[in-house]
Amino acid sequence: MESLTLSDVEQKYYSDLFVYCDTDNTKKVASNGRVLDLFRAAQLPSEVVLQITELCGATRLGHFGRSQFYIALKLIAIAQSGLPLRVESLNSVKDLPLPRFVVGKNEAEARHAALYQDTDSQGLYPAPGAAVIPRPPGRGHQNKKGPPSSTSLPVHEVIQPLAPNIEPQPEPTSPVVSPHQSPPTSPHSWRKHKRQHSGGNADRQPVVAATGAVWTQFREPQTGPVTGDGMWSSHSPPPPGQESWVSFTADTPPSSTLPAMHPSSVQESTTIRTVASAATTNEIQRQSSTYDDPWKITDEQRQYYINQFKTIQPDLTGFIPGSAAKEFFTKSKLPILELSHIWELSDFDKDGALTLDEFCAAFHLVVARKNGYDLPEKLPESLMPKLIDLDDSAEVPEPTADVGYSASPVEVTPNKSPSMPSLNQAWPEMNQSNEQWETFSERSSSSQTLTQFDSNIAPADPDTAIVHPVPIRMTPSKIHMQEMELKRTGSDHNHPTSPLLTKPPELSEEAKLPASMKFVAANTVGDGYSSSDSFTSDQEPITRQRSQSGTSPEALKVVAPPPPPPRPHPSHSRSSSLDMNRTFAATSATGQPQPSTIAYPPAVPPRPLPTQTSVPLTGHRVEAEGVPGGGAVLTTTSPQQIPQQPNFADFSQFQAFAASEQPSSLPEVDKHSEAGQVDKTSEGAGPLRTVKSDGQADERASATVNSTKGSSGPLAPPPKPVRRRLKSEDELRPEDEQHGPQKSNVIAAVLATQPSIPRSVGKDKKAIQASIRRNKETNTVLARLNSELQQQLKDLLEERISLEVQLEQLRPFSHL
Amino acid sequence: MAVCIAVIAKENYPLYIRSVPTQNELKFHYTVHTSLDVVEEKISAVGKSIGDQRELYLGLLYPTEDYKVYGYVTNSKVKFVIVVDSSNTSLRDNEIRSMFRKLHNSFTDVMCNPFHNPGDSIQSKAFDGIVSGMMVQTG
C-alpha cells in the first residue's frame, strides 16, 4: 500500500466517510457493509468497485482499514473522474474531485453533512453537500435521526445531478451560513434555493479549483436563501419534499463547528462575488425574495439604492431630474412602457424629479420587474415616500425597519435576527447588483435626447391658481371716460369683446381650471379687463349720454348741412332768409332757408306791397338772425334781448331799407290794407314810413320793435320777431297816429302776439304769412330736433344690437 | 359621463382616443375629427388678443341630435375633446369643466414622465384610470 497523500479536504472527507462507515466504532475498520454501500453509492460498475477494493488492499485484509478506505475512496474518485484505476494514480492525480456517493448514503451522509453543515441552519447547504449527499429536503429531521429513509432516494437522485457540478468539500464549506438563521425561515429559502442552485451550479462549474471559490459558490446559494429567509419570514413553509435541500435546513441544529469559517467565507464570497459575474438570476432571485412582502425594501437594498442615488445626485436631500433618472433606468433594459409606469408610480409628488425615497421606490420596482414580478397598479405602501420623509436624512435602517414593521409585524422578530447576517450576506448581492448595474451602465443606454421635463412642473394645487377676480371698481376718470368714449366711437368691437373678457375670467374661476400659471395671468389680465370693462359698461350709459350729448350738437351740425351750420337761433334762418331776401329782392328765391322760402312763396309777386313788406319783415328776420351769426350788429338800445339787438339793429337798417321802399310799397300796402291783411303790412309800412320820416318814430319803432322783440324773444324766436314785426308793424301803423302809448301798445301787441297765431289768422295776409313762416320755422326746428332724436335712436339701436350679440355669445356659458 | 374622450396633439393627430366600447367607435372618431375644425375656428377667433387671455375651455363645440361635443385647448395647442351623450342632460358646464381639468392634470403628469416622449401616444395607466373614471359605465 503506497502512501496516500490526501489533501486536507480529502483527508477530512475521507475521515468522515470512514467514520460513516465505521459503524462499529472501531475507528479502524470500516464495516464492509457500509463500505460496500458507499461504493455502490459511488455508482461505479461493480467490477470497478471490485478493482478498487482489490487495489486498496482491502481484499487482502478482508476489511477496510482506514488507509484502505482512504485509498478506496481515492480510487473511487479517480474512477469517477474517468481515470483508469491505477495505484500509481493515487498520488499522481492532482486535484482529484472528491468521490461522489449518491445512493444509500443519504441519512448517514446527511448526518455527517449535518455535522459539518449545521451552521447553516437553513440547511441551505446546497450542492456541495452532494459529496455528502446533501441533505435531502425536508428530510432534515429524518436525516438527523439517522434512520435511513428510502424517501431520501429521490432526493439523492436529485442531488446527484448537482453533485457532479459541485466541488467536493461539502462539509467544510457548508457551515458558511450563519447559524442564527432561524428555522422558520428556512422553508422559504429552499424554494429560492433550488433556483439558486440551478443558477449557481452553472456558475459554480467554472469556479472549481479553489476551495475558496467553491466556498463562494456554496456561499452563493446559501446567502441567497439566507437573505431570502431574512426577507421572507412570514412565508409559510413550502411543502416538504418539493425541493431538495432546503427543508433540511430547518432542522439542522445550529452548530458552531465552523463558525470561524463564516467570516472568511464571507469575505471570500464577497470578493469572489464581486469579481465573478454571478448569475443574475441568482441575485435577482435573491432580491426577489421580497416576494413575501414584495415591496419592502431591505436595509441593504436601501443602502444600495442610496449609493446609486449618490452617484447621480450627491445631495441626498436633492432631486434627480427626470432626464437623469430616465437614463439611469433605461440601463435596466426594461421596456419604456414599463419604465414609464414605474415612473408614474414612484414620482409621488408628480414633479418630474425623484427624491431619494422616490428613487428608492423606483429602483425597487425596477428590480422587482426584472425579477418577473408584475408592477402594481398603485404604489405599495412600503414604497411610499412619506415614511422616509418623516425622518431626517440618513435614516436608512430605522425607517426601513419601520417600514418593515408596519408592513408585517410578524416579520419583525425574524427580521431582526437575520437582518444582520442578511446584511452581510446581501452585500455580495449588492455588489453583484452593482455589477449588474455596472454592466448596464457600460452598455450604452438609449441615445434618445430627452426633452427636459424639469421645467414642467405640474401645478401643485390647481386651487391655488384660482384667483377670484375681485371686481375692481375703478372710479371713472375723465381721461378714461374720454378714452372709453373714443373707443366706443372708434370701434364697435370693443363692446362685444369687453363683456366677453369679463365673462370668461369669472367662469374660469368658478371652474377652477388647472392651467394655473397662464390662466392666472389670464385671470389677472381678465381682471384688468373686467374691471375696465365693467367700468366701461358702467360708464357706457354715461358716456353714451355724453356722447349723445356730444354728438347731438354734432348731429345737429351734421344733420343740417344744407342749412347753415348750427343755428342756435332762429336768427340763422333769418340770416339765411336774409340772404334769400337779397336774392329774393331780385327774384323770388325758393331754395333758401325755409322761413324765408316759406315766407316768400306766399309773397305774391303781384303784390309788391306785401312782398315788400314781407321782404322787409323777412329782411328783418334774416338780418336779425343773421346778425347774431355775424356778430357785429349795431345794437341800439334794447337790453332786453341781446339776440334781439342785432335783429333790432337789422331791423332798423331794414327799416331804413324798407323805408326806402316804402314809398313804392306804401301804396301797395295801402292797397293790401284794403284787403285787410295788408293792414298789418301797411301798419308795418306805416311805422316804417313814420320811422323814415321821423327818426324818433324810428326810434320808437325800433324801440317798439325792440320791446316787442325783447318781450317775445324768449319765446319762439323765429316767428316771434316776424310776428313782432308784423305786429309791431300792424300796431305801429295804427300807432302812427298814436305815438304816445306805443310801448303799452307794443306790450299789448307782444302779449297779443304770443298766442297770436290764431289771431294772426284774422289779420293781414302778412300776418298769416308771417305765421306761416313762423310755423315753418318751428317746423324746421322740430324737424331738426327730430333728426337729432333719430340719430340718437340709431345709436341706441346699435348699442342694443351689440348688447344682444354679446348676450348671445354669453348665452352658452350661462345655460350649459 | 363622457362617451368618448380624445386628446389631440398640436398637429391635429390623436394622442389618445377612447370611446365607450359598446358603441360604434368609428363614429366617435369621426365626430372628434370634425370637431377639430370647430376648435380651430374658435382658437383663431379669439386670437385677436395676445392669446394668453384665451379661454382654455372652449365650451360646446357643436351639438348633434345624439350627443354634444365639448372642447378644451391647452396653451400648447393640445386639444381635449369630450363627447357626451345628449341624453345626459344633467351635465352642466361646471361638470364638463371639472372633467377637462382632471384631464389636463393627468395629461401634465404624463408629460412630466421623462419616459414619455411628447408626440407619442399616451400609454399611461394613471391616465387610463382617470379616463375610465370619466367614461360612461355601460354594461
Side-chain angles (χ1 to χ4, degrees):
Chain A
M1 187 76 59
E2 57 228 71
S3 62
L4 183 63
T5 59
L6 297 173
S7 62
D8 293 342
V9 178
E10 291 176 344
Q11 178 73 28
K12 193 136 177 85
Y13 184 50
Y14 293 170
S15 63
D16 291 339
L17 285 173
F18 187 78
V19 171
Y20 171 70
C21 292
D22 189 7
T23 53
D24 296 336
N25 280 332
T26 59
K27 301 284 191 284
K28 288 245 170 79
V29 176
S31 66
N32 283 351
R34 276 295 166 81
V35 172
L36 289 174
D37 290 340
L38 190 65
F39 291 168
R40 272 198 299 277
Q43 292 186 334
L44 293 170
S46 57
E47 49 275 7
V48 175
V49 172
L50 286 173
Q51 191 176 6
I52 288 171
T53 314
E54 187 178 4
L55 281 175
C56 71
T59 4
R60 277 177 292 125
L61 295 178
H63 63 87
F64 280 94
R66 188 173 281 271
S67 58
Q68 288 82 24
F69 187 73
Y70 289 174
I71 293 168
L73 289 177
K74 187 104 183 192
L75 287 171
I76 288 171
I78 292 169
Q80 283 177 341
S81 58
L83 297 173
L85 287 177
R86 293 257 158 46
V87 179
E88 304 82 21
S89 62
L90 281 175
N91 290 327
S92 61
V93 178
K94 308 289 187 212
D95 298 334
L96 190 64
L98 291 175
R100 299 177 293 276
F101 300 95
V102 181
V103 183
K105 298 293 175 102
N106 194 10
E107 300 79 4
E109 298 306 327
R111 247 186 290 127
H112 286 290
L115 290 175
Y116 293 99
Q117 299 178 14
D118 51 13
T119 53
D120 178 9
S121 59
Q122 303 300 324
L124 302 181
Y125 195 56
V132 187
I133 317 300
R135 316 69 192 298
R139 298 308 145 74
H141 288 285
Q142 295 173 356
N143 289 337
K144 285 184 187 170
K145 291 166 190 172
S149 61
S150 58
T151 57
S152 62
L153 287 177
V155 174
H156 292 300
E157 289 174 356
V158 172
I159 293 170
Q160 190 174 6
L162 298 175
N165 297 336
I166 294 169
E167 294 312 313
Q169 83 290 67
E171 295 92 36
T173 60
S174 62
V176 177
V177 179
S178 64
H180 46 261
Q181 287 188 357
S182 57
T185 58
S186 63
H188 314 306
S189 59
W190 62 253
R191 183 187 305 167
K192 298 301 170 189
H193 204 107
K194 181 179 183 184
R195 268 181 267 161
Q196 292 164 6
H197 290 313
S198 52
N201 289 338
D203 292 335
R204 289 184 204 115
Q205 281 177 355
V207 190
V208 169
T211 308
V214 174
W215 286 18
T216 57
Q217 287 173 352
F218 294 156
R219 181 132 180 74
E220 203 173 309
Q222 290 170 5
T223 55
V226 168
T227 51
D229 296 341
M231 299 172 196
W232 287 346
S233 53
S234 60
H235 251 322
S236 58
Q242 251 186 17
E243 297 183 21
S244 54
W245 315 95
V246 178
S247 59
F248 176 85
T249 64
D251 304 319
T252 53
S255 78
S256 58
T257 52
L258 301 171
M261 302 171 67
H262 190 252
S264 60
S265 61
V266 170
Q267 292 166 4
E268 288 175 359
S269 59
T270 310
T271 52
I272 289 173
R273 184 66 66 80
T274 51
V275 171
S277 62
T280 55
T281 53
N282 274 350
E283 190 208 9
I284 289 170
Q285 287 166 355
R286 244 171 273 117
Q287 292 196 359
S288 64
S289 59
T290 54
Y291 182 69
D292 227 28
D293 171 16
W295 311 115
K296 194 164 65 67
I297 303 179
T298 62
D299 293 342
E300 62 277 9
Q301 284 177 336
R302 178 163 288 278
Q303 192 58 44
Y304 177 67
Y305 300 154
I306 290 175
N307 292 340
Q308 288 294 313
F309 184 91
K310 281 182 191 163
T311 63
I312 307 177
Q313 165 69 277
D315 178 17
L316 286 180
T317 60
F319 292 89
I320 290 184
S323 53
K326 171 170 179 175
E327 287 175 23
F328 183 81
F329 287 113
T330 309
K331 295 178 207 162
S332 68
K333 296 299 178 192
L334 282 179
I336 295 290
L337 182 59
E338 298 188 5
L339 288 173
S340 171
H341 186 56
I342 286 173
W343 176 275
E344 278 183 358
L345 291 175
S346 58
D347 188 3
F348 200 64
D349 47 5
K350 300 283 181 244
D351 59 355
L354 296 180
T355 63
L356 176 61
D357 302 323
E358 292 173 343
F359 178 82
C360 292
F363 209 128
H364 202 65
L365 287 170
V366 168
V367 166
R369 188 75 187 112
K370 285 221 75 100
N371 293 345
Y373 290 103
D374 292 330
L375 295 175
E377 291 300 319
K378 282 176 38 177
L379 193 66
E381 273 189 17
S382 53
L383 293 180
M384 291 272 188
K386 59 182 181 298
L387 290 172
I388 304 302
D389 291 338
L390 293 176
D391 305 339
D392 290 338
S393 61
E395 16 22 31
V396 178
E398 294 166 4
T400 50
D402 292 337
V403 172
Y405 295 148
S406 64
S408 57
V410 178
E411 297 175 2
V412 173
T413 315
N415 271 341
K416 277 188 178 174
S417 55
S419 63
M420 288 314 297
S422 64
L423 188 69
N424 291 333
Q425 290 154 2
W427 260 117
E429 300 168 15
M430 288 308 136
N431 294 333
Q432 191 79 38
S433 61
N434 256 337
E435 288 177 25
Q436 278 184 328
W437 295 117
E438 287 166 7
T439 56
F440 291 152
S441 62
E442 287 164 3
R443 300 170 217 156
S444 64
S445 58
S446 63
S447 59
Q448 298 169 1
T449 56
L450 291 175
T451 57
Q452 291 295 328
F453 283 113
D454 298 340
S455 56
N456 281 359
I457 297 177
D461 182 5
D463 292 343
T464 59
I466 310 311
V467 175
H468 273 282
V470 178
I472 300 173
R473 269 299 170 148
M474 288 166 48
T475 58
S477 63
K478 283 194 179 176
I479 299 174
H480 199 165
M481 285 179 61
Q482 288 169 4
E483 290 173 359
M484 288 302 162
E485 193 172 329
L486 286 173
K487 268 195 206 174
R488 272 195 74 257
T489 55
S491 71
D492 292 334
H493 287 295
N494 286 343
H495 294 296
T497 55
S498 57
L500 263 187
L501 288 170
T502 321
K503 278 290 184 176
E506 294 169 355
L507 289 171
S508 67
E509 293 163 24
E510 297 169 9
K512 295 189 177 183
L513 284 171
S516 56
M517 316 277 285
K518 294 192 177 178
F519 208 75
V520 169
N523 277 345
T524 53
V525 176
D527 289 351
Y529 269 77
S530 64
S531 60
S532 64
D533 290 339
S534 62
F535 167 70
T536 311
S537 58
D538 292 338
Q539 297 306 321
E540 271 178 7
I542 302 175
T543 54
R544 270 185 223 130
Q545 293 166 4
R546 289 196 183 185
S547 62
Q548 289 172 2
S549 59
T551 53
S552 55
E554 295 174 354
L556 283 175
K557 296 177 185 178
V558 175
V559 166
R567 335 171 14 168
H569 302 288
S571 58
H572 285 275
S573 59
R574 297 291 168 83
S575 60
S576 57
S577 62
L578 176 60
D579 296 335
M580 280 184 58
N581 279 335
R582 289 182 185 154
T583 56
F584 188 78
T587 57
S588 63
T590 54
Q592 295 294 330
Q594 301 159 357
S596 52
T597 55
I598 295 171
Y600 292 129
V604 179
R607 297 190 181 184
L609 203 65
T611 56
Q612 287 179 357
T613 53
S614 66
V615 165
L617 288 171
T618 53
H620 284 302
R621 215 182 316 138
V622 169
E623 283 183 356
E625 291 172 358
V627 168
V633 174
L634 297 175
T635 60
T636 56
T637 56
S638 109
Q640 293 171 355
Q641 287 264 338
I642 296 174
Q644 301 302 327
Q645 284 175 0
N647 294 341
F648 175 72
D650 292 341
F651 189 73
S652 61
Q653 291 173 2
F654 192 76
Q655 283 178 352
F657 171 70
S660 62
E661 297 178 354
Q662 283 301 322
S664 60
S665 65
L666 278 173
E668 294 174 351
V669 171
D670 293 332
K671 291 176 187 174
H672 285 293
S673 63
E674 293 173 0
Q677 295 177 352
V678 187
D679 290 344
K680 283 196 175 174
T681 56
S682 61
E683 289 176 359
L688 288 175
R689 278 178 249 133
T690 54
V691 168
K692 267 197 302 185
S693 58
D694 286 337
Q696 292 178 356
D698 285 341
E699 292 176 1
R700 264 178 276 146
S702 64
T704 54
V705 171
N706 279 336
S707 64
T708 54
K709 283 183 187 173
S711 58
S712 60
L715 302 179
K720 287 286 171 70
V722 178
R723 287 194 217 118
R724 269 182 257 113
R725 289 192 196 117
L726 292 171
K727 294 296 177 188
S728 60
E729 289 172 357
D730 294 340
E731 289 159 4
L732 284 172
R733 231 178 10 149
E735 286 175 2
D736 287 343
E737 299 85 12
Q738 306 168 9
H739 292 284
Q742 281 181 353
K743 281 192 178 179
S744 60
N745 290 336
V746 167
I747 294 170
V750 168
L751 291 173
T753 53
Q754 290 181 359
S756 64
I757 294 175
R759 284 197 188 180
S760 62
V761 175
K763 295 203 180 169
D764 296 338
K765 183 181 175 185
K766 283 186 184 175
I768 294 170
Q769 289 171 352
S771 66
I772 291 171
R773 255 180 263 118
R774 282 195 298 273
N775 293 337
K776 286 180 180 171
E777 286 170 359
T778 53
N779 194 13
T780 54
V781 169
L782 291 171
R784 200 167 291 112
L785 195 64
N786 186 24
S787 63
E788 292 175 51
L789 290 170
Q790 289 285 341
Q791 187 63 30
Q792 291 179 11
L793 178 63
K794 282 181 198 170
D795 294 339
L796 284 170
L797 285 176
E798 283 178 5
E799 289 173 2
R800 183 193 164 189
I801 288 169
S802 68
L803 284 173
E804 284 179 356
V805 165
Q806 293 168 14
L807 178 65
E808 280 304 314
Q809 287 173 351
L810 295 171
R811 193 180 298 276
F813 290 98
S814 61
H815 285 261
L816 291 178
Chain B
M1 303 302 111
V3 174
C4 169
I5 291 177
V7 177
I8 315 291
K10 180 178 176 178
E11 293 81 15
N12 288 334
Y13 63 87
L15 291 176
Y16 181 90
I17 181 164
R18 191 154 144 219
S19 324
V20 169
T22 57
Q23 308 200 7
N24 184 9
E25 301 199 22
L26 197 59
K27 175 183 75 168
F28 291 126
H29 286 232
Y30 177 71
T31 305
V32 169
H33 187 266
T34 54
S35 69
L36 287 180
D37 284 336
V38 186
V39 171
E40 286 288 335
E41 174 192 339
K42 285 195 182 271
I43 292 176
S44 58
V46 197
K48 194 178 324 187
S49 51
I50 311 295
D52 274 353
Q53 298 115 28
R54 187 157 52 81
E55 170 65 45
L56 299 184
Y57 175 71
L58 300 175
L60 182 67
L61 297 179
Y62 70 94
T64 68
E65 67 281 3
D66 289 334
Y67 44 80
K68 298 190 264 235
V69 182
Y70 293 90
Y72 180 98
V73 62
T74 69
N75 284 323
S76 55
K77 299 284 197 297
V78 175
K79 300 135 186 128
F80 299 106
V81 176
I82 290 184
V83 180
V84 178
D85 201 358
S86 281
S87 60
N88 230 340
T89 54
S90 62
L91 269 183
R92 272 186 313 255
D93 188 48
N94 280 339
E95 295 177 21
I96 304 282
R97 282 177 186 272
S98 70
M99 286 165 68
F100 276 126
R101 191 176 0 122
K102 277 195 292 187
L103 267 181
H104 199 170
N105 275 339
S106 53
F107 178 74
T108 52
D109 291 342
V110 168
M111 278 297 148
C112 282
N113 191 331
F115 298 101
H116 176 269
N117 299 319
D120 291 352
S121 60
I122 296 175
Q123 290 159 331
S124 152
K125 294 187 189 167
F127 192 80
D128 289 341
I130 299 249
V131 170
S132 305
M134 288 200 282
M135 302 275 276
V136 178
Q137 308 300 326
T138 60

